[in-house]
Amino acid sequence: MKSMKWLLAASFLLGSYSSAGLTGANAEGILAPAQPPAATATDRLDLTMGSAKMLHNGAVYQSAQPVASIAGRTFLPFSSIAARYGYKISYDAKKKESTASNDRHTLVFKIGSDVAYRDGTATKLTGAPYISNGYLMVPLRSWGEMADSTIAVVGKTITLKWSSVVVPPKPTASFDVQPAEIYAGQTVVTYVDRATSATGLPFVDERWTGRMDVFPQAGTYVVTREVEDSNGVWSDPYSVTVTVKAPNLPPVADFATDKPTYRIGENVTYTDLSTDDENAIAKSTFAGNDKAFFEPGDKSVTLTVEDSHGLTSTITKTVTVTNEVLYTKDEYDRLFTPLGDIYSVDGAAVLNYPAYKYSIVNEAAQMVRSNSPETLVQEGIAYHAQMTGNVRFMFHNVNNIGYPVSVHLLATNLGSGPAKFSKSAMGMGGPTPSPELAGKLSTSRYLTALTANPAPVAMTIAPGETKEVLPEIAKVPLKAGDSLSSYADVYSDKELLYNIVVVAAGKDPVAELDNLTVMPRDGIHTRGTFYSADRSIAIDDRIGEQPRRVMFGDVGKDAFDTILDGIDETSGQLEYNRGNFGVLYRMHLSHVAPHTLISLNARGGLYTGAFLVNGQLVTVANNQALRSNTQASVLYRTGDNEEPVDIVFTIASGSNLPIAMTFTPLPPVRQ
């Protein structure tokens, strides 16, 4: 009856509070609607005489001590039963009192005393609490009454039931303030909602304190938010501390030159002296800042700087150029154009340079060129060849099949014993929509790999086994319109059947191999196997004192770089490697005169690629391309003494031939 009376009283009080519309004050002192009344739920705890097993709302728990019976009275372990009711327990060693408390009651038991206290009121117990194996045991009947429970005993099963208040979970009012850096009077602040609701109920209201879209002054601000869900439950306040910086100032653009006036063709040095209050200049852009000027007069040079917040500053200064000539434009370009960069030449004059009559030594080297069809229009086998020993593979293809495909190199061991396979230097360009860029990248990367001389990567191919041996080229599929160019040096100690396979991206090339046929040639480009694919050129004469040229890829009657021939193993027909793509050239120039400029001049139109000059990679036209015979790219300059020069290169796929390597005297250096 006590428990029923308490529940009725609680219901009355809760109803009174709700109907009266009691409110609480928020941080601003405004009265807020009362939280809705809490709901109640019934808890059930099943115990068994002599057992430590407890079943609480269907979940199994282990008690510190079994339920005990002494002189017809049942005792429960105090700590275990209190935990199931949600009480917090404490012990006063001086008074020898154990206390269980929650937001509704405080229950106090004392060892050996048959009197306990509920909320300060004495209660006569049905038995005195005692200690069992270090744990306090309290009488069942008394606990049930003090904890507002009903008790039912059926055989050895004891069932306790009690009502508990279920407080609706509060929502959370969290939020983010963006951006991370906020400047007084400048930054428009965004508040990103991160509020959550455990009940899933929508939010119907919110309260903000300290929120501003633009903070007027530098300093520290606290922004607080509360949210209300549709059940009328308000969250606790959620606060974010916002640090506001002083207003950002624009940068100040400034620069200086190393002297006030310059001669025609004299180097101008520009020093950027721009400043920013946060030292956060993100971009500096000069206009008119030529490295040298070739007409007299006042030249306007402009510098614009931008800080990390988008504020800019611009300054324009005048550079004065006198009538005195230090270098002409042609002299200046030949002396100061950086390695790889482009300078202008007289294309007709280059053809008047005497062509050096060099001799070529063809060296035994196997090379496979897979370039026909250059434009892929179907899946299939682009080329196949049976080979052993060292082989250089060269691929260059454009995907016009209409969907993504990948190119694979497969090796099949047709012998009776295991074959050792390895790969070493490799260079790949693409996939990219630009065939010229693919050729340039593959050439420069292959030459770089040759210089690095990487350790071979080995594998074993069992008899009858087919393996993909260059997975690198298939890692990224070619989208429609993409180009791929690649070089790779491989080796095998047994004869292998190599298949260059093109299949739709995602297909297993090994599984597809037996279903594929050889693609027809395109009638323009080359595919085949070539057996003298390395060429050595030695020039022992002194070169560079007078303008000279060395031609490559020339098909005229006086051409020295003859076309390499081989065989198309898919048909058994004779094949000519037009352009000698894939051939590796090694030039040794024993005596290059002091102050000699070595350049590359495109004679057939667009050309780009790379050269190794004395072991240093020089990219032709750097981030551009030679596009006519009036352009040349700097490969090397000799110093004050005669010196030998070694040049290693291969013709870049996607480029046009012929090309002229020119040797011209540099103009004298003047002060």
Side-chain angles (χ1 to χ4, degrees), residues 31 46 60 95 139 167 180 182 193 223 239 289 336 353 359 364 378 419 426 493 516 532 553 571 585 591 652 661:
L31 292 178
D46 293 303
V60 177
K95 296 180 179 180
V167 179
I182 298 173
D193 185 9
V223 181
S239 298
N289 61 323
F336 299 111
Y353 296 170
S359 60
Q378 66 183 65
M426 180 180 175
D493 67 343
L516 300 175
S532 299
S571 64
Y585 293 83
H591 306 284
M661 188 179 294

Side-chain angles (χ1 to χ4, degrees), residues 485-556:
S485 185
S486 183
Y487 298 86
D489 289 341
V490 306
Y491 167 81
S492 68
D493 67 343
K494 301 284 194 315
E495 187 171 75
L496 298 175
L497 172 61
Y498 292 101
N499 278 284
I500 300 167
V501 170
V502 179
V503 293
K507 283 186 178 180
D508 182 347
V510 176
E512 294 291 324
L513 181 59
D514 290 340
N515 302 321
L516 300 175
T517 59
V518 176
M519 301 178 187
R521 299 165 57 97
D522 61 19
I524 301 173
H525 300 91
T526 300
R527 72 179 179 198
T529 305
F530 304 91
Y531 296 97
S532 299
D534 284 5
R535 290 188 162 180
S536 295
I537 301 170
I539 298 178
D540 294 324
D541 296 340
R542 187 177 173 92
I543 191 169
E545 292 179 328
Q546 300 295 327
R548 300 290 290 269
R549 61 187 168 96
V550 174
M551 301 297 297
F552 297 96
D554 195 355
V555 295

Side-chain angles (χ1 to χ4, degrees), residues 250-254 274-275 285 303-307 310-315:
V252 178
D254 192 20
S274 303
T275 58
T285 305
L303 171 63
T304 300
V305 293
E306 180 180 331
D307 70 11
L311 298 182
T312 62
S313 173
T314 299
I315 189 171

